[in-house]
Amino acid sequence: MSRFLEDQVVERGYAVLKTGPVDVPTTAVAKALGEISSLPGVTDVQVLQPREKADAPPNIYSGAFGTGEFPLHTDLAHWFLPPRYLLLRCVVGAVNVATRLVDGQELVQALGADALFRTLLQPRRPVRGTRPILRILHRESQGRYRVRWDSLFVTPASTKSACVFADIHVWLTTAGEVRINLSDPGDGLVVDNWRMLHGRTAVPPESRDRRIDRIYLNSLNGSQ
Amino acid sequence: MTAPQQTPHEWSREALLSKAQRYAEEMLSHPRESWQFAFWSSLALELLARAALAKVSPALLADPKDWNNLYFALGNAPTAQKFSPRSIDISVVFAHLQSILPGFTPGMESFGIVHMGRRNEELHSGSTPFDSVKSSAWLPTYYQSAEVLLASLAETLESLVGPDEAEVATALIAAANDASAKAVTKTIEAHKTVWVQKTPGEQKKLQLQATLWATKQAGHRVTCPACSSDSLVVGAPVAPPTQTLDGDEITETQYFLPSRFECVACGLKIGQLSQLHAVGLADTYKSTIVYDAAEYYRTNDPYEDFEPDFNEP
């Protein structure tokens, strides 16, 4: 299972899996897949449920987009090093709500690695009292890249970077998108958060009870 | 295993290099001969130098007078009261780099210290040291130093200043490195010798002709290093033109890097950037053209009084 999962994530940037009955805790599922990432001040398992804009604080996506479509993004793009992987696990399914995925490698091909590397950004708000200058693209070993993107939580850190931001916005409107439906309890999706941009389609009224558990992973079993 | 991290260490290679790039972009937003260009360049260079040292280890940046600085550099949070991390002086950074990086020469170290000295003078005194330096006097060494520092970080000039400016920087470095270019001074001396043998009347006539010629021809007017007549340098643009609208007029400015020099009074010609650099004629220059707005926006349409083309209706 783990080997297959790792191969899928390396090849496509994500993997779809069945995680078993939901009475098995999501932490147990995650531990079987890899090492759980514990973030300061955040519970290991975060429950994602649709919320109206008026019912949500402005520091989360629901506070900005409500039950509308969530734009493509990297989770915690405003952190210096965002979580490596995320596991989404369906607890209450919705057939008409999908997780959107776009491959960041295609963004690199479209706009060029050099231009993206030179694009500087900052968190829109201070993180631990500072707004560090970050890059959209980091060069990893073996010619691989680490991509980050968020249209809400980060802002361009220079005039030239603002131009690339605009280009990315335009590119994303035409990017090839994969949609995954976590429609049945136990449906799971592991996403490489350093490669894939993800989002959510709008939630129609009849699907407001959708519930997804999310958990971050530092590594997948069998991977580096 | 890779745990998420909220912020980079402020003395990390990544944090320092990203900020250096931001300053370099600010530098490039100003004209090359302006004090702002030189000022922002000095800020970028300091961060670049510190990034290069941080690549070896952020611990090298810690001021050794207080062990808490080293503790902080190693990624810990000192508990000392009123602690504010203090790093070593930039002159010490350059000295360390000169010892550590094989390509970082004593000349680069000296340049860095002088450039930082000007920066400090700019910031902490009423004098204006960056107003009185021509870019040709420091920019090639600046880019040479930056190139070495960036190479130690596995980066290139392009990653700091972008592809267009990196091309200019490479040309400036090549020109500065071309020792044979200094031979041009002999050519100038030969023209000077011939010039002084002319009668004052001949010299005056030739100088008037040269002034007239330099006014009519395209290029940037300079003083001939051999005969002091008006002469011209011409070159290639180093940045796209920028237009500003003022009333009914549009002013278009564009910066050029010289590649040729000519003086019609004494006949001196110089055809290489490296030679121009050797005699102080390699400063970028600004070309300014003022257009009437109507003229600027006039379309190049030979049938502008007719309806648009439309086969047969």
Side-chain angles (χ1 to χ4, degrees), chain A:
Chain A
M1 177 66 174
S2 291
R3 186 79 224 176
F4 172 76
L5 177 83
E6 185 204 346
D7 288 348
Q8 289 278 299
V9 174
V10 168
E11 188 188 326
R12 299 190 307 195
Y14 66 94
V16 178
L17 66 160
K18 294 284 183 187
T19 66
V22 291
D23 55 354
V24 175
T26 299
T27 46
V29 173
K31 277 179 185 166
L33 295 175
E35 186 189 85
I36 293 174
S37 180
S38 293
L39 309 183
V42 181
T43 56
D44 283 351
V45 180
Q46 302 112 46
V47 179
L48 309 180
Q49 281 182 301
R51 294 162 79 175
E52 293 295 344
K53 196 170 167 179
D55 300 334
N59 64 314
I60 64 172
Y61 262 32
S62 291
F65 307 107
T67 54
E69 184 178 87
F70 280 2
L72 293 157
H73 65 279
T74 303
D75 265 9
L76 296 172
H78 54 296
W79 282 25
F80 173 59
L81 202 59
R84 182 73 176 89
Y85 303 99
L86 58 109
L87 165 67
L88 299 176
R89 186 183 188 222
C90 174
V91 179
V92 177
V95 289
N96 46 12
V97 180
T99 299
R100 309 162 60 207
L101 292 168
V102 163
D103 194 341
Q105 288 185 349
E106 290 176 17
L107 174 69
V108 176
Q109 283 175 3
L111 271 74
D114 289 342
L116 290 175
F117 176 75
R118 286 180 41 73
T119 304
L120 305 175
L121 52 87
Q122 286 179 293
R124 69 169 182 171
R125 303 168 62 209
V127 177
R128 297 176 67 202
T130 180
R131 293 179 66 219
I133 301 171
L134 310 170
R135 293 182 188 277
I136 281 189
L137 191 75
H138 284 258
R139 299 189 182 110
E140 297 288 311
S141 58
Q142 299 170 332
R144 285 179 298 185
Y145 299 107
R146 171 156 49 95
V147 179
R148 76 169 85 224
W149 171 252
D150 192 307
S151 56
L152 183 65
F153 292 161
V154 296
T155 57
S158 71
T159 312
K160 286 196 173 174
S161 299
C163 297
V164 181
F165 261 59
D167 291 343
I168 293 172
H169 276 290
V170 171
W171 183 82
L172 286 174
T173 60
T174 58
E177 188 175 302
V178 172
R179 293 189 172 199
I180 307 290
N181 263 98
L182 301 176
S183 51
D184 295 318
D187 283 356
L189 173 65
V190 172
V191 179
D192 181 344
N193 192 47
W194 288 4
R195 170 175 166 181
M196 305 299 289
L197 310 182
H198 67 280
R200 186 202 70 191
T201 58
V203 182
E206 65 272 22
S207 299
R208 298 289 158 86
D209 59 347
R210 180 184 193 246
R211 183 181 148 186
I212 303 288
D213 279 355
R214 179 182 62 199
I215 197 160
Y216 294 119
L217 301 168
N218 288 335
S219 60
L220 299 177
N221 289 337
S223 69
Q224 296 284 314

Side-chain angles (χ1 to χ4, degrees), chain B residues 97-143:
Chain B
L97 289 171
Q98 206 267 305
S99 301
I100 293 170
L101 302 180
F104 198 75
T105 64
M108 292 174 184
E109 180 193 354
S110 303
F111 164 76
I113 291 170
V114 169
H115 210 51
M116 293 305 127
R118 288 193 181 118
R119 192 271 312 273
N120 291 342
E121 195 182 334
E122 181 77 37
L123 283 173
H124 304 300
S125 80
S127 67
T128 54
F130 286 130
D131 279 281
S132 51
V133 285
K134 295 169 78 175
S135 70
S136 62
W138 63 271
L139 197 52
T141 316
Y142 179 87
Y143 278 139

Side-chain angles (χ1 to χ4, degrees), chain B residues 140 169-179 181-182 272-275 277-278 282:
Chain B
T170 304
L172 288 172
I173 292 169
N177 283 339
D178 187 356
K182 295 188 173 55
Q272 290 176 21
L273 175 64
S274 55
Q275 293 177 327
H277 180 264

